[in-house]
Amino acid sequence: QVQLVESGGGLVQPGGSLRLSCVASGITFSNYDMRWYRQAPGKERELVAGPTSADYADSVKGRFTISRDNAKNTVYLQMNSLKPEDTAVYYCNAAAVDAWRRRLDYWGQGTQVTVSS
């Protein structure tokens, strides 16, 4: 059974930092592209960060950094200089294509990030 478990969300003041973690189990982690998405109330889910620089949302470039530790089956999202508009539920995503060219796509349950004074 595949599980992606996010943690590290919470309430932070504007200008603060948080580091989100997502631990994966049930998959060969190194075979998967890992991404972070977010969804704010009333808005569509958007890609925040992924394996390439092109995956970063313009609104987070220079402030957010994705990284991974394959030995720990974990992907991180370091978020600095947080703004109120970064408030959202953050989700990690694992994606790959199998030997039959089927897309494999898994999601975590999300972690809430609230940026407010």
Side-chain angles (χ1 to χ4, degrees):
Q1 182 180 0
V2 178
Q3 281 192 311
L4 301 178
V5 181
E6 299 103 333
S7 62
L11 174 63
V12 63
Q13 292 187 343
S17 297
L18 282 175
R19 189 176 80 155
L20 305 183
S21 301
C22 172
V23 180
S25 60
I27 60 173
T28 303
F29 183 75
S30 58
N31 290 348
Y32 283 73
D33 288 336
M34 300 300 296
R35 295 178 175 85
W36 286 94
Y37 290 76
R38 68 185 180 188
Q39 187 165 19
K43 295 188 176 181
E44 293 187 354
R45 190 173 296 191
E46 66 168 342
L47 176 63
V48 174
T52 72
S53 58
D55 292 321
Y56 284 84
D58 288 342
S59 60
V60 308
K61 285 180 180 176
R63 300 188 298 122
F64 289 12
T65 303
I66 190 172
S67 62
R68 63 190 293 163
D69 185 338
N70 287 344
K72 295 182 178 179
N73 285 4
T74 302
V75 62
Y76 304 97
L77 184 68
Q78 178 66 44
M79 305 186 295
N80 299 327
S81 303
L82 283 161
K83 304 176 181 181
E85 50 264 42
D86 295 318
T87 295
V89 178
Y90 284 71
Y91 299 89
C92 71
N93 169 263
V97 177
D98 69 10
W100 295 270
R101 297 191 177 184
R102 295 176 302 186
R103 181 176 174 88
L104 305 174
D105 212 7
Y106 302 104
W107 293 88
Q109 82 289 348
T111 186
Q112 176 71 47
V113 172
T114 302
V115 185
S116 175
S117 55

